[in-house]
Amino acid sequence: MRARRVGTGSEFRLFQDDQEIGRVDAASVSFMGFATRDDAALAASAAHHALALRRGNQDSSPGGLGDAAPLLPPALEEGPTGEWGFTIPLLPGERIEVFALARARIIWRALQGTGISRRMRQFAESLATV
């Protein structure tokens, strides 16, 4: 995974094999590209679990996974075939650039390790040719 800064701020776009997979900003990490709500929810669950382990289970979101990793529905202009995603808010101590990017890498490794990343639309074509 590579991170590319957007402008001069603290926002980054995340790429894998030249395919955009997510974003990091001053407050959250987001991944997108899932074909269905269920795939996005599964990915959000894996991401939340990986971060909870890394944080030593100090993640204090009161509402469980729903508040800890809200799903991002497709944009209205994309219609029903748009991409689903999820976002995970960063804790105050994780909002420094280097820590935010490290959290994004933890999430990406979790998505790859569970195989969920292969369900992302960005990589569907390469799977079809294998």
Side-chain angles (χ1 to χ4, degrees):
M1 181 188 83
R2 296 187 60 226
R4 295 183 191 152
R5 186 181 301 275
V6 175
T8 59
S10 60
E11 184 178 344
F12 292 85
R13 292 171 50 197
L14 305 175
F15 293 86
Q16 179 69 35
D17 300 329
D18 293 324
Q19 298 291 321
E20 186 172 0
I21 57 173
R23 291 185 176 267
V24 175
D25 61 31
S28 64
V29 175
S30 303
F31 283 85
M32 68 282 265
F34 300 96
T36 67
R37 183 183 194 285
D38 289 344
D39 285 349
L42 183 61
S45 177
H48 181 260
H49 179 72
L51 276 186
L53 288 175
R54 178 64 178 105
R55 291 169 171 167
N57 293 322
Q58 61 180 329
D59 188 5
S60 59
S61 47
L65 178 60
D67 290 339
L71 297 182
L72 302 172
L76 291 176
E77 62 271 6
E78 293 177 359
T81 60
E83 297 179 352
W84 282 85
F86 66 90
T87 188
I88 295 188
L90 295 170
L91 298 176
E94 298 171 333
R95 293 180 181 167
I96 299 169
E97 261 178 33
V98 67
F99 296 122
L101 292 172
R103 295 307 185 245
R105 284 186 175 85
I106 288 168
I107 293 169
W108 182 241
R109 281 194 304 266
L111 298 181
Q112 288 181 307
T114 58
I116 298 168
S117 63
R118 292 189 298 261
R119 297 183 186 188
M120 296 172 82
R121 290 182 175 208
Q122 296 92 316
F123 308 111
E125 185 176 302
S126 64
L127 285 177
T129 60
V130 174

